[in-house]
Amino acid sequence: MQKILNVSAIKDGTVIDHISPDVLFKVISILKLDLCRDMVTIGNNLESKQVGKKGIIKIENRFFEDHEVDRIALIAPQAKLNIIKDYKVVDKRSVSIPTEIDAIAKCFNPKCITNFEDVTTHFAVVSKKPLALKCRYCEKITFGDQLELK
Ligand SMILES: [Zn+2]
């Protein structure tokens, strides 16, 4: 028997699909969905033919800006965004890691100026998989498992 996930459809909003289960709550946190006043439906460890297990987040009345999509890409690079208007998928987007990252990530080096002065961080992405970001100020590399977003 086929199991069908019955989560309520949204009229307008965004479905973030194919999130790796171990980062689902990180995505919720970086998008500040804990503060969202619209309907948010979260499913985790759902069966997926493509990736084994996955997480999914449906957010009513939210459409993400490019800088927010970049944040999603850093945490969940395989995520797919479905844009819903009037119950229909009107657009599908893959997320992609940009070549430069401004303002959204923290440098892991505790001595870096960006961690004790009010300086906007800038990183060059030196590797996407595994993720490695080179700080413009101290030139140290922050790897994906050390990454914290602002
Ligand atoms: Zn730095």
Side-chain angles (χ1 to χ4, degrees), residues 107-109 112-115 123 135-140:
C107 181
F108 93 106
N109 173 14
C112 181
I113 187 168
T114 60
N115 285 319
F123 294 92
C135 177
R136 189 198 283 178
Y137 294 95
C138 70
E139 304 210 317
K140 293 263 191 302

Side-chain angles (χ1 to χ4, degrees), residues 19-100:
I19 305 166
S20 174
D22 54 328
V23 297
L24 181 97
F25 288 94
K26 234 177 173 175
V27 173
I28 291 166
S29 154
I30 56 153
L31 295 175
K32 298 187 168 59
L33 297 179
D34 51 336
L35 305 174
C36 181
R37 298 206 172 267
D38 286 302
M39 186 180 78
V40 179
T41 311
I42 296 159
N44 205 12
N45 295 309
L46 308 174
E47 298 293 336
S48 158
K49 284 197 180 96
Q50 291 147 25
V51 291
K53 300 258 184 184
K54 67 172 186 177
I56 188 167
I57 308 170
K58 297 184 174 196
I59 312 117
E60 199 174 47
N61 300 324
R62 260 305 276 283
F63 302 97
F64 294 101
E65 310 275 341
D66 287 346
H67 69 94
E68 293 175 299
V69 175
D70 287 350
R71 294 169 79 89
I72 298 169
L74 286 177
I75 298 295
Q78 65 283 74
K80 301 267 187 300
L81 270 63
N82 293 323
I83 317 302
I84 315 287
K85 298 236 166 109
D86 207 16
Y87 299 104
K88 289 193 190 80
V89 177
V90 294
D91 195 14
K92 284 178 186 264
R93 295 180 68 171
S94 295
V95 302
S96 65
I97 297 171
T99 54
E100 303 215 349

